Amino acid sequence: MLNLDMARIFDEIADILELKGENPFRIRAYRRAARTIETLTLDLKVIAERGGVDELRKIPGVGEGIAKKIVEIAQTGDCEKHRELKREVPEGLLELLSIPRVGPKTIAKVYQELGIKSVAELEAAAKAHKLAGLPGLGAKAEENILKGIEQYRSYKGRALLSNALPYAESIVNELKKLDAVERITVAGSLRRMRETIGDIDILVVSKRPKEVMDAFTTLDGVEDVLAKGETKSAVIIRGINADVRVVDAASFGAAAHYFTGSKQHNIRIRELGVKKGLKINEYGVFRGEERIGGENEEDVFASVGLPYIPPELREDRGEIEAAKENRIPQLVEVSDLKGDLHVHTKWSDGKNSVEDMADSAIGLGYEYIAVADHSPAVGIAGGLTEDELAPRREEIVKANERFEAEGTQFRVFDAVEVDIKSDFSLDFPDAILKDFDVVVGAIHTKFTQDRETMTRRIVGAMENPNVDIIAHPTGRLLGKRDPYEVDMEQLMETAKETGTILELNSFPDRLDLNDLHCKMAKEHGVLVAISTDAHDALQMRDVIRYGVATARRGWLEAKDVVNTRGLKDFIKVLKG
């Protein structure tokens, strides 16, 4: 069982408790546990079997009750509390919770008043204006519900990169154990590290394909076998479609290229091949009937006179032209990062102390972190009050003094994630902001303001000499909330003029900036911070790879990313 399965169970428990209107503190505990678990690289099942409840309680956000349920899930695949709650509500109501803009109170209301328990029934009722007459709802609510249903359907059948990648890696690791497997790779949009994935594609070289297919179709977590053949099989594993295809060793590179690149990228490569009298397909590179390459991907590119193009760039967004001119960028790597510029602690909605977060960062080889706890306006996050600034600052100073005394070259920056309010003001006055080492501006409210207003809010924050970074600049939550309307071209121009850094938030449901905006930033000469928005020490380690993957898709190199700079060089970049 993967951690994601446990996280899904705790999320469903929280969903049902919300539908039932139960204690919000209990609901929040399950949500926190789910968010922590889904980003862990440590195997919870192994921890549960090795150390039991006591060992599990060392994980941030995991109390005794949650720990006991983890042990139960590790042993049986589920827990009694989850089964009990699922018996109490119609199955369709849980699907309704996946619709953006539709909260549990609304779902409970339409179920109780109109008996609605499916997406189709909710859509029909909204279109027939049957919801507007319910207490607390109206025409605007119907409009939002219909928009939410449309958004839900656009994401249905797709998985977040952070959900699909661990499953794919688990499949690859299990199949690698077979003597019959000679070579193996993930392919498709997952290898290109797209933010959402339709299915998992895996290519294998094997002289004994039946063994591979038998193992693949009986893996732990397989819910249905859609097809099983001698060289290709398809299953549904933990809700995601996965295919495994066995190819000849001589075709492995050609197949990896063919099944990884976007359709348009592959067309461009084939066209270049035709001009050289070659035929390029998933079986190899051919001149007439003779195969002249295809064992490795480099063969494909070399055959058309190009250097190797990294998988993340194979979208036909200029990579062919860049390769012709030897301009393929040296893409940023996780190992290039020297710090994290957006983490939270117990002073707002984080789970760890300042020193805990710093120690974790030191373990990652970082030279600095910016502890950017929320300002007061984000009430649900327990934002910092003015009275808490001094004791928090004292804790940061003590941590830095400890590192200096130990001879550790590391610094905790006293930072804040200050809310950019709907009236264009910042949540702290300049007299307070000027005393922070790093100021991260962010929008957390009034997402539906028009494009001009949203742009003005962010531009105004950038023009403030105290604001160094703009966090998650479009406010999107994948599958839950569309990006708000904002003029990205103007944001880029203002960021360049003011020296403001734009954040690429690595949290798996944000990845904001997206890949296209990262490329825009590079073209405008705007620095990007790849940060985690971590709310506990383990998240800081575990989610960064998703941000780096998006940066790579956006053509970013180490020089384009501000937190690849060492401590002294980073300080020089700050506005103050």
Side-chain angles (χ1 to χ4, degrees):
M1 167 167 285
L2 291 177
N3 296 348
L4 290 174
D5 298 310
M6 294 193 185
R8 177 183 53 78
I9 289 170
F10 288 131
D11 265 330
E12 281 199 357
I13 290 174
D15 287 342
I16 299 171
L17 291 176
E18 278 200 275
L19 282 175
K20 292 165 60 68
E22 297 210 8
N23 188 321
F25 294 103
R26 287 183 63 206
I27 295 167
R28 204 169 299 140
Y30 283 112
R31 293 278 187 226
R32 280 200 305 267
R35 296 294 73 75
T36 296
I37 290 167
E38 69 183 2
T39 57
L40 283 177
T41 54
L42 303 170
D43 189 328
L44 275 187
K45 185 175 182 181
V46 172
I47 296 173
E49 292 171 349
R50 183 187 65 209
V53 171
D54 290 341
E55 190 72 15
L56 289 167
R57 289 191 65 185
K58 296 177 183 178
I59 299 171
V62 175
E64 184 174 0
I66 297 290
K68 288 180 177 177
K69 289 179 177 65
I70 290 173
V71 171
E72 185 181 353
I73 295 167
Q75 292 171 346
T76 68
D78 203 349
C79 66
E80 179 55 35
K81 182 65 175 178
H82 183 228
R83 291 190 293 267
E84 173 192 318
L85 287 171
K86 286 180 72 175
R87 290 192 291 266
E88 294 179 9
V89 297
E91 187 175 342
L93 288 188
L94 293 180
E95 184 182 11
L96 293 180
L97 280 170
S98 301
I99 301 173
R101 307 167 186 255
V102 182
K105 290 181 180 178
T106 297
I107 293 170
K109 187 176 296 182
V110 299
Y111 172 63
Q112 292 162 6
E113 299 290 335
L114 302 175
I116 291 172
K117 53 182 184 292
S118 73
V119 176
E121 289 172 353
L122 181 63
E123 182 178 33
K127 287 181 175 178
H129 305 296
K130 292 181 179 179
L131 308 181
L134 297 180
L137 299 180
K140 186 65 176 176
E142 287 182 332
E143 180 184 338
N144 285 336
I145 286 170
L146 290 173
K147 286 181 180 177
I149 291 172
E150 181 182 354
Q151 187 179 347
Y152 166 70
R153 285 180 174 149
S154 72
Y155 278 99
K156 191 175 182 183
R158 298 192 67 80
L160 292 181
L161 172 64
S162 58
N163 287 341
L165 188 58
Y167 289 143
E169 291 173 338
S170 176
I171 294 170
V172 168
N173 289 336
E174 287 302 311
L175 294 183
K176 273 184 177 179
K177 296 175 183 177
L178 300 175
D179 291 338
V181 170
E182 298 172 23
R183 295 180 73 179
I184 186 168
T185 184
V186 172
S189 57
L190 182 56
R191 188 164 175 235
R192 301 201 308 276
M193 302 297 273
R194 291 195 59 176
E195 60 199 25
T196 63
I197 305 301
D199 51 25
I200 295 169
D201 297 301
I202 295 172
L203 299 177
V204 174
V205 172
S206 175
K207 293 185 179 68
R208 306 198 303 274
K210 184 178 183 302
E211 292 181 33
V212 177
M213 296 306 164
D214 288 344
F216 172 60
T217 55
T218 57
L219 285 173
D220 183 32
V222 169
E223 299 163 4
D224 192 12
V225 178
L226 303 177
K228 184 179 180 184
E230 291 184 8
T231 59
K232 183 183 177 184
S233 294
V235 304
I236 297 177
I237 185 164
R238 297 181 172 96
I240 301 175
N241 283 27
D243 298 342
V244 165
R245 185 185 303 262
V246 174
V247 300
D248 293 335
S251 301
F252 183 74
H257 177 269
Y258 181 86
F259 289 108
T260 294
S262 71
K263 179 180 178 180
Q264 199 57 40
H265 170 89
N266 288 348
I267 289 173
R268 295 288 307 280
I269 294 294
R270 290 200 299 271
E271 287 174 346
L272 291 176
V274 169
K275 290 178 182 179
K276 292 180 177 290
L278 304 174
K279 181 174 72 174
I280 299 173
N281 56 31
E282 65 265 44
Y283 302 107
V285 180
F286 296 86
R287 178 172 285 115
E289 297 300 315
E290 180 189 4
R291 177 160 45 199
I292 62 171
E295 185 175 354
N296 299 299
E297 281 188 305
E298 289 81 358
D299 298 347
V300 177
F301 293 112
S303 72
V304 293
L306 299 180
Y308 180 82
I309 298 175
E312 297 94 334
L313 301 187
R314 300 179 198 173
E315 298 281 2
D316 191 30
R317 294 178 182 167
E319 72 276 10
I320 304 293
E321 291 73 17
K324 286 179 180 179
E325 299 170 9
N326 288 311
R327 291 188 294 103
I328 291 295
Q330 187 69 38
L331 299 177
V332 64
E333 305 272 1
V334 171
S335 58
D336 292 325
L337 299 181
K338 300 293 193 294
D340 193 328
L341 298 174
H342 184 173
V343 305
H344 296 268
T345 70
K346 288 180 178 180
W347 286 99
S348 61
D349 56 344
K351 300 182 184 73
N352 293 101
S353 68
V354 170
E355 284 204 8
D356 288 340
M357 297 300 281
D359 287 336
S360 181
I362 291 168
L364 295 172
Y366 289 168
E367 297 180 21
Y368 51 87
I369 55 169
V371 175
D373 287 306
H374 287 285
S375 63
V378 190
I380 194 171
L384 288 164
T385 64
E386 291 189 27
D387 290 340
E388 291 174 317
L389 296 181
R392 176 180 175 273
R393 189 161 288 151
E394 185 178 344
E395 185 176 325
I396 291 171
V397 168
K398 285 182 178 178
N400 284 327
E401 288 175 345
R402 186 198 112 194
F403 300 136
E404 185 176 359
E406 293 173 349
T408 303
Q409 299 299 311
F410 186 84
R411 177 167 171 184
V412 179
F413 286 106
D414 179 13
V416 66
E417 184 178 6
V418 64
D419 207 56
I420 305 169
K421 299 165 77 172
S422 59
D423 63 0
F424 312 111
S425 67
L426 297 177
D427 200 24
F428 279 132
D430 287 343
I432 289 177
L433 292 177
K434 68 180 179 61
D435 291 330
F436 286 103
D437 298 324
V438 179
V439 175
V440 180
I443 288 178
H444 294 101
T445 58
K446 302 289 185 181
F447 299 115
T448 57
Q449 287 183 311
D450 62 57
R451 178 184 175 92
E452 182 180 352
T453 303
M454 294 301 283
T455 303
R456 185 180 162 198
R457 282 172 75 177
I458 299 175
V459 165
M462 287 180 175
E463 290 174 341
N464 186 305
N466 296 303
V467 176
D468 301 288
I469 302 171
I470 297 296
H472 38 76
T474 73
R476 73 172 184 176
L477 292 174
L478 289 164
K480 301 173 185 175
R481 184 172 70 217
D482 286 335
Y484 41 69
E485 292 291 328
V486 65
D487 185 340
M488 287 304 297
E489 186 69 29
Q490 188 172 347
L491 293 196
M492 295 292 171
E493 291 173 359
T494 305
K496 178 63 176 175
E497 291 168 5
T498 60
T500 307
I501 299 158
L502 296 182
E503 178 187 84
L504 192 178
N505 190 297
S506 299
F507 227 77
D509 61 355
R510 285 193 183 273
L511 300 182
D512 179 15
L513 301 168
N514 67 21
D515 52 354
L516 295 176
H517 294 151
C518 286
K519 198 163 187 286
M520 280 181 72
K522 181 183 181 74
E523 291 163 354
H524 281 77
V526 172
L527 287 172
V528 172
I530 306 177
S531 300
T532 61
D533 199 356
H535 286 63
D536 67 54
L538 295 174
Q539 284 177 350
M540 184 163 40
R541 179 194 65 197
D542 294 337
V543 307
I544 191 65
R545 66 171 174 164
Y546 302 113
V548 170
T550 300
R552 289 172 63 86
R553 285 180 54 78
W555 293 56
L556 296 190
E557 301 174 78
K559 65 182 181 181
D560 305 313
V561 178
V562 71
N563 49 319
T564 62
R565 288 157 174 76
L567 178 58
K568 292 180 180 178
D569 288 336
F570 168 67
I571 291 173
K572 293 175 184 176
V573 177
L574 294 172
K575 285 186 179 181

